[in-house]
Amino acid sequence: MRRNLLHHLQILTVAIISMLSLSSCIIVSDDPHYPDTGYDRDLTGMWELSHINGYRVSGYEVNWLDFYGDGWGMYYYKSGHSTYELPFEYYCEYNFDNWLYINYSDGTYAEMKYWFNHNYTQLYLEWYDRGERVTYTYQYCNDPYWAPSALKLAD
């Protein structure tokens, strides 16, 4: 009886050690670039377009992307003296690169790779248009100068 109990305790000990060693191989990451929710928290906030393919933009070329952090956002752009908004829904995915998928409320769709600079103050969006690579560089700007108070979101 005692020998049988020791044998069972040895098997139980080996099983526990095996389970612990296997669980240490499971990778649990808080890295936002492996989003299990589909929303990269580093995208959250307002981003202002500053460069297209390395060339500075100005005037009416400038636009803004505002990611709310929950799969929704707003695209702002200027035309004449007016600023317009276009709601969008987005989703992030990691597949060897970070991918951003945006569905705009007007029915248009965008799919692009994205990444950040080392301190997350610049967002790079890249896609191909007619075989040519296009790279947009956005600067983080939490409070754009043009936004009327009605467009600013409460914290």
Side-chain angles (χ1 to χ4, degrees):
M1 174 83 170
R2 181 179 170 111
R3 187 175 204 190
N4 198 13
L5 180 62
L6 285 175
H7 179 70
H8 287 300
L9 284 175
Q10 287 175 334
I11 291 174
L12 182 63
T13 303
V14 169
I16 290 173
I17 291 171
S18 296
M19 286 175 28
L20 290 174
S21 66
L22 285 176
S23 67
S24 67
C25 294
I26 297 171
I27 299 171
V28 177
S29 174
D30 285 334
D31 188 343
H33 303 293
Y34 299 92
D36 45 1
T37 62
Y39 316 122
D40 185 336
R41 68 178 173 258
D42 288 323
L43 283 172
T44 304
M46 180 77 75
W47 298 89
E48 179 178 88
L49 180 64
S50 63
H51 293 82
I52 297 175
N53 293 333
Y55 295 100
R56 188 111 179 103
V57 299
S58 61
Y60 299 114
E61 291 179 305
V62 178
N63 64 56
W64 297 265
L65 291 170
D66 191 4
F67 294 94
Y68 301 156
D70 59 357
W72 294 95
M74 192 70 71
Y75 170 67
Y76 298 98
Y77 61 97
K78 294 181 98 40
S79 181
H81 295 290
S82 300
T83 301
Y84 297 93
E85 58 186 50
L86 184 63
F88 64 82
E89 189 175 359
Y90 72 95
Y91 184 80
C92 303
E93 182 177 77
Y94 182 80
N95 185 11
F96 299 105
D97 291 306
N98 295 318
W99 286 91
L100 175 62
Y101 305 94
I102 299 178
N103 290 303
Y104 295 96
S105 63
D106 68 355
T108 57
Y109 173 79
E111 176 180 315
M112 64 209 77
K113 288 194 312 188
Y114 76 96
W115 66 94
F116 300 92
N117 66 340
H118 70 283
N119 61 358
Y120 295 87
T121 58
Q122 292 183 329
L123 167 65
Y124 301 91
L125 303 178
E126 183 178 270
W127 64 92
Y128 285 85
D129 183 25
R130 297 183 199 106
E132 297 289 321
R133 182 174 59 189
V134 179
T135 305
Y136 276 28
T137 305
Y138 283 84
Q139 301 285 330
Y140 184 78
C141 67
N142 198 28
D143 193 15
Y145 69 89
W146 55 265
S149 59
L151 292 179
K152 293 181 183 177
L153 301 174
D155 292 327

